[in-house]
Amino acid sequence: MAMSNPGNRVTQGQFSFLPELTDEQITAQIKYALDNGWAVNIEYTDDPHPRNTYWDMFGMPMFDLKDPAGILMEINDCRKTFPNMYIRVTAFDNTHGWEAPRMSYIVNRPPNEPGFKLQRTERDGRSMGYTITSYAADKPEGERA
Amino acid sequence: MSKSSETMAEGKERYQAGVIPYKKMGYWEPDYEPSATDVVAMFRITPQPGVDHEEAAAAVAGESSTATWTVVWTDRLTACERYRAKAYRSELVPNTGEGTDTEAQYFAYIAYDMDLFEPGSIANMTASIIGNVFGFKAVKALRLEDMLFPVAYLKTYNGPATGVVVERERLDKFGRPLLGATTKPKLGLSGRNYGRVVYEALKGGLDFVKDDENINSQPFMHWRDRFLYVMEAVNRASAATGEVKGHYLNVTAGTMDEMIERAEFAKSLGSVIIMIDLVIGYTAIQSMAKWCRANDMILHLHRAGNSTYSRQKNHGMNFRVICKWMRMAGVDHIHAGTVVGKLEGDPLMIKGFYDTLREGYTPMSLETGLFFDQDWASLNKVMPVASGGIHAGQMHQLLHYLGEDVVLQFGGGTIGHPEGIQAGAIANRVALEAMVMARNEGRDYMNEGPEILNAAAKWCSPLKAALDTWKDITFEYESTDTADFVPTATGTN
């Protein structure tokens, strides 16, 4: 079973509507971040809930690593370690007025993306409360793949 | 010749009952240098025939500050020299006057002491600057071109409730323009049908859908119905994609109370964004911005009405001034032109608007219409919105002209797609992501744009259909609001 959206996948990040990025394409994007002076960070999670802000960091943001090939090695290391997780590459800009991520794109996904449950809670009148939960996070943390 | 005969009369002479020229009343001070606490306004003045341009500038200064048509002795009870606005510079606008087809116009610079204005009130400031003076008989036409605000005065405003940085963090969307669409037809859909358009567009790949400026609460769709169905669509699409999605719920209404009621309802349903129209007025805009700041809400402003006074070059006010006021008033989004779409917009002028909304400091740049160095005092950045007659085939141009901190709104370009609304949304999202990727890879995407889009269309049939449908659609009309200054070549040979 796949998600019902046109790409059958979680569409977060800059490039989720494009075919899976090749290592060459990932390297070009890393180079763009480094050329802008941004620090690249690798994060992974098994819960892609749209409000799950804090994916786990695969090490620290690579403030001092200026070699795209070195960063790609880290990404591939993370993919090897967590092949069934969502992995994203984020680039942080520390210039005044930004001090925030400037890039974020997914470079790894689980083979099966179960998607999200929409829970409706009927309230006063016809008003509705909505809660979205990840099917992937249904199981206790210790029992997930 | 003594200075006083030309400019300011003094003492008893100045305050004799009767009418004396504004220049002599102290509103023309060619030696004046604006202080760090002066607000400066730059007007384009077309004097009435026979009226000296410096006198016209002095008259504008007078009428927009302390003067009335005759001398009043009660001025002498005040520190009136401080409160008088001072016209200190007036110069012929290039390509006007003798030897041209346009009657003489002058750029007049007028300085106002900050104490003339109540802190944090756009209404109070504008009541002076654009209050009576635009109907003043001594000028044939008058246009407010630009304003300089000192940091101390800017700091009396909250600025955008959310701002570009926090909006992106809240939406978890970085490194690409956001995509939106306005629900069409803008009038007549029932709430249920309206929500269908929203659901299809968001699930297909857009980030936002939008109410149009004139969708409030009409017989065909009560506002509560719209809000309920739209939020069902937003949440369904969010669950289907794993992305934060939004719809600009337009809370514009007849009274402030009704607007707050609608905003509260939007909040209770979990909307991330609400919308207002420029026509609600400056005070209402500031009130809604404060409400949004207190309720973690993004505030979208549709510039409904602005072209009634911003489009013609000789009278009214330039849209860049509206951009400045709205950044101070505290909106997060504002429609600011597309360059390539169906609405007015010269590329250089639009760059000036976008810079005004998004930069922390905008240096004087005459070719983009910025007449002052403006320090924005860390006020949040406003996200410009490009809307009106744009489509996926223009993606390279849109990214080139407008950059990545912008909402690109493809209304017809999504909903009018021959294969349906989701297909339209896919086409736009794929075109956007492909173009951003190419730009980041260092490709000459402006020239290779069509190639990049065609390559993506090979594996994305909705994009191919979009490109085929709209390939010949362009809007090539002359802009009416253009720069008065052209960049000069600085060749070194």
Side-chain angles (χ1 to χ4, degrees):
Chain A
M1 283 298 287
M3 293 175 69
S4 71
N5 71 59
N8 311 115
R9 47 159 48 177
V10 168
T11 56
Q12 295 169 15
Q14 286 169 283
F15 305 123
S16 284
F17 276 69
L18 303 182
E20 288 299 342
L21 274 60
T22 63
D23 279 6
E24 194 188 346
Q25 286 175 315
I26 292 172
T27 306
Q29 297 301 316
I30 296 169
K31 188 170 177 304
Y32 178 74
L34 295 177
D35 288 348
N36 279 291
W38 303 337
V40 177
N41 189 37
I42 303 165
E43 299 171 355
Y44 63 94
T45 190
D46 61 3
D47 176 11
H49 189 282
R51 304 273 187 197
N52 179 15
T53 305
Y54 303 113
W55 294 20
D56 286 295
M57 295 196 291
F58 192 74
M60 304 269 280
M62 292 169 270
F63 294 107
D64 304 311
L65 189 47
K66 303 294 180 207
D67 172 24
I71 293 174
L72 182 67
M73 274 173 64
E74 289 291 318
I75 291 170
N76 284 329
D77 195 12
C78 183
R79 285 160 149 176
K80 228 174 282 165
T81 315
F82 302 109
N84 296 325
M85 299 260 188
Y86 289 90
I87 300 175
R88 73 183 174 199
V89 176
T90 306
F92 290 100
D93 180 358
N94 68 357
T95 53
H96 176 71
W98 281 104
E99 295 152 296
R102 297 296 294 276
M103 297 177 76
S104 178
Y105 55 97
I106 291 176
V107 295
N108 199 73
R109 301 163 180 276
N112 174 35
E113 297 193 59
F116 305 89
K117 180 179 182 177
L118 181 64
Q119 187 98 41
R120 295 180 182 80
T121 311
E122 287 173 273
R123 301 189 307 213
D124 289 356
R126 291 188 52 248
S127 194
M128 194 77 79
Y130 295 97
T131 305
I132 291 172
T133 52
S134 306
Y135 288 116
D138 270 355
K139 279 193 226 165
E141 198 175 22
E143 293 171 24
R144 295 181 215 159
Chain B
M1 181 172 64
S2 77
K3 196 180 143 210
S4 61
S5 66
E6 257 284 285
T7 59
M8 172 93 187
E10 314 244 343
K12 205 171 169 187
E13 187 199 346
R14 162 69 173 78
Y15 291 101
Q16 267 179 354
V19 177
I20 59 173
Y22 286 89
K23 272 175 88 168
K24 286 202 171 177
M25 286 201 271
Y27 298 103
W28 173 250
E29 284 196 34
D31 301 329
Y32 186 76
E33 286 195 15
S35 80
T37 52
D38 282 346
V39 169
V40 182
M42 203 286 273
F43 292 92
R44 177 195 301 264
I45 299 178
T46 309
Q48 288 287 10
V51 175
D52 166 55
H53 69 96
E54 292 175 359
E55 172 61 14
V60 170
E63 287 298 319
S64 61
S65 63
T66 52
T68 187
W69 60 279
T70 186
V71 172
V72 291
W73 65 267
T74 42
D75 270 351
R76 299 185 90 172
L77 301 174
T78 71
C80 54
E81 279 170 35
R82 184 182 180 96
Y83 301 132
R84 268 182 214 127
K86 295 146 189 93
Y88 62 91
R89 187 172 152 192
S90 173
E91 57 202 21
L92 189 67
V93 174
N95 305 311
T96 71
E98 264 185 43
T100 73
D101 296 336
T102 312
E103 62 192 318
Q105 301 175 352
Y106 295 86
F107 283 143
Y109 290 74
I110 299 173
Y112 303 78
D113 189 278
M114 196 169 56
D115 283 356
L116 290 174
F117 308 116
E118 176 176 343
S121 170
I122 300 280
N124 175 258
M125 181 261 296
T126 55
S128 282
I129 304 290
I130 58 167
N132 276 341
V133 66
F134 279 71
F136 194 46
K137 280 184 177 167
V139 296
K140 192 169 173 186
L142 182 64
R143 190 186 200 213
L144 177 59
E145 288 287 343
D146 200 2
M147 290 188 75
L148 169 68
F149 294 103
V151 165
Y153 180 69
L154 281 183
K155 282 291 188 189
T156 67
Y157 289 85
N158 283 142
T162 313
V164 168
V165 173
V166 175
E167 172 170 352
R168 285 192 173 284
E169 290 190 339
R170 245 183 235 171
L171 302 176
D172 188 37
K173 295 176 196 290
F174 306 99
R176 64 168 175 85
L178 303 178
L179 284 179
T182 307
T183 311
K184 305 283 174 184
K186 52 209 258 179
L187 297 170
L189 291 170
S190 70
R192 190 180 196 274
N193 291 340
Y194 195 91
R196 164 62 71 186
V197 179
V198 175
Y199 173 63
E200 298 291 327
L202 293 179
K203 185 172 178 182
L206 302 193
D207 303 299
F208 287 126
V209 184
K210 171 182 170 290
D211 285 343
D212 225 328
E213 73 280 6
N214 49 357
I215 272 287
N216 296 158
S217 194
Q218 283 112 320
F220 50 82
M221 180 167 59
H222 186 265
W223 69 272
R224 285 181 71 96
D225 281 327
R226 185 170 83 256
F227 284 27
L228 287 164
Y229 282 111
V230 161
M231 288 315 296
E232 170 73 16
V234 166
N235 283 290
R236 279 275 282 122
S238 188
T241 59
E243 285 188 85
V244 180
K245 302 280 186 182
H247 178 96
Y248 319 155
L249 290 168
N250 191 348
V251 302
T252 298
T255 66
M256 261 328 286
D257 294 342
E258 286 167 291
M259 287 204 288
I260 294 288
E261 182 193 354
R262 295 177 192 192
E264 293 282 0
F265 191 54
K267 179 189 165 195
S268 80
L269 294 170
S271 184
V272 295
I273 186 164
I274 59 166
M275 163 180 169
I276 50 175
D277 293 338
L278 183 59
V279 290
I280 68 174
Y282 303 133
T283 295
I285 291 170
Q286 280 193 270
S287 295
M288 291 312 298
K290 294 234 180 205
W291 183 91
C292 285
R293 192 170 263 260
N295 290 279
D296 313 312
M297 194 68 85
I298 300 167
L299 182 58
H300 178 97
L301 177 79
H302 187 292
R303 58 172 166 170
N306 89 91
S307 289
T308 51
Y309 45 82
S310 70
R311 191 171 184 194
Q312 298 304 324
K313 234 174 143 169
N314 66 337
H315 190 82
M317 58 199 281
N318 193 290
F319 186 67
R320 76 180 65 92
V321 179
I322 294 287
C323 289
K324 287 194 173 181
W325 294 352
M326 290 304 104
R327 187 169 179 178
M328 292 154 67
V331 306
D332 292 311
H333 287 186
I334 184 171
H335 291 244
T338 62
V339 179
V340 297
K342 71 177 177 183
L343 300 178
E344 170 77 26
D346 170 76
L348 288 169
M349 293 292 95
I350 287 191
K351 183 178 184 329
F353 306 157
Y354 275 55
D355 287 350
T356 293
L357 296 166
R358 297 189 299 200
E359 299 298 321
Y361 178 83
T362 45
M364 184 177 86
S365 159
L366 296 180
E367 69 261 26
T368 57
L370 303 180
F371 289 84
F372 302 103
D373 294 336
Q374 178 70 59
D375 182 338
W376 277 97
S378 296
L379 251 58
N380 285 340
K381 305 171 200 294
V382 181
M383 185 87 83
V385 176
S387 180
I390 58 176
H391 57 83
Q394 300 159 326
M395 200 58 83
H396 50 299
Q397 296 162 314
L398 293 166
L399 188 62
H400 171 79
Y401 286 119
L402 309 179
E404 81 182 24
D405 292 302
V406 57
V407 187
L408 301 177
Q409 301 233 149
F410 302 90
T414 301
I415 298 157
H417 192 283
E419 294 163 13
I421 300 170
Q422 278 197 38
I426 295 166
N428 289 322
R429 183 78 175 264
V430 168
L432 176 77
E433 294 192 359
M435 205 55 67
V436 169
M437 174 170 276
R439 180 200 64 177
N440 294 2
E441 286 171 347
R443 289 182 68 180
D444 179 8
Y445 68 94
M446 187 56 174
N447 286 316
E448 297 171 29
E451 229 171 281
I452 293 163
L453 293 172
N454 286 331
K458 285 209 175 98
W459 54 265
C460 177
S461 61
L463 178 56
K464 179 163 192 323
L467 297 177
D468 289 346
T469 304
W470 292 304
K471 62 177 182 289
D472 297 323
I473 305 298
T474 54
F475 298 89
E476 308 271 347
Y477 301 102
E478 289 289 313
S479 290
T480 51
D481 184 25
T482 51
D484 296 287
F485 300 92
V486 286
T488 45
T490 49
T492 48
N493 51 339

